Amino acid sequence: MGEADRGGRGDVPVRRLTVLYDAECHLCTFVRNWLVKQRQLVPLDLVPAGHARARRLFPDLDHAATLSDITVIADGGQLYRGPAAWIVCMWALRAYRPTAHRMATPAGMKVAKQVVLGAARYREAQWGPQPGGGAYRRSDGWRYDPKDGWFLEAYGYEAPGPGEEPAASAPGCDSGCRTAD
């Protein structure tokens, strides 16, 4: 893996990995669900990219970039993106560690890059191109802005995390008006 793909110190042991994934992408969610079912040699914490929890855990991280490219952060500060992130996820899994070692070679890295490019093509077909980490909009009114994170456009509410319930309604009366109106 090249220095552009990973950061941190190479002499620091990795005991835990945080995987930032796009919770709005069907492929990313499928991979996330697959990862949690695998036997892990190194525990994986799976956190939606751009979510408030990700921002609290990693305040200095470019969160817009985490939506366009899988990002893995090790407990020792190592940062992995793209093909290197996929490889380190495999390395954390009991059944796939030998594959990860093969993929970390120059020849294996070429294969890993092709896998990541294929995933990017799928995501672009699903979302359309996102130049410069542009905002993602969902049909239910939630929007991700690289600067501010997830929020409900009409009211500025922060998006709920996985398994959390969304806010019941906007502040105000039953007619739907806002308190400030």
Side-chain angles (χ1 to χ4, degrees):
M1 289 181 260
E3 284 303 314
D5 298 327
R6 63 183 173 96
R9 295 179 36 201
D11 59 343
V12 177
V14 175
R15 293 190 176 94
R16 181 168 221 89
L17 295 166
T18 301
V19 179
L20 301 179
Y21 71 97
D22 185 350
E24 294 300 314
C25 169
H26 297 295
L27 176 63
C28 299
T29 303
F30 174 83
V31 171
R32 178 237 178 255
N33 293 339
W34 179 81
L35 284 170
V36 298
K37 294 175 186 174
Q38 303 303 307
R39 187 157 183 205
Q40 300 172 1
L41 295 173
V42 176
L44 298 174
D45 295 324
L46 293 118
V47 177
H51 188 267
R53 180 171 175 228
R55 290 176 178 280
R56 277 192 308 275
L57 289 171
F58 309 106
D60 297 328
L61 190 64
D62 177 359
H63 290 276
T66 66
L67 279 171
S68 60
D69 213 357
I70 182 174
T71 304
V72 178
I73 303 104
D75 57 344
Q78 301 93 330
L79 177 68
Y80 304 90
R81 293 185 195 267
W86 287 105
I87 292 170
V88 80
C89 284
M90 286 191 306
W91 174 83
L93 304 176
R94 180 182 177 102
Y96 294 92
R97 185 165 277 187
T99 303
H101 285 289
R102 287 191 301 277
M103 297 298 280
T105 66
M109 187 59 77
K110 289 179 183 177
V111 173
K113 287 180 181 178
Q114 291 302 313
V115 169
V116 171
L117 286 173
R121 284 188 202 106
Y122 173 85
R123 287 172 47 86
E124 185 172 326
Q126 179 184 353
W127 287 103
Q130 297 292 316
Y136 286 93
R137 295 184 196 308
R138 294 183 353 186
S139 60
D140 62 0
W142 288 102
R143 179 169 79 95
Y144 176 80
D145 183 277
K147 183 177 139 241
D148 300 319
W150 285 103
F151 66 95
L152 186 58
E153 288 187 302
Y155 305 109
Y157 289 153
E158 184 178 297
E164 296 175 5
E165 290 295 319
S169 62
C173 65
D174 290 337
S175 68
C177 65
R178 288 185 267 161
T179 307
D181 290 346

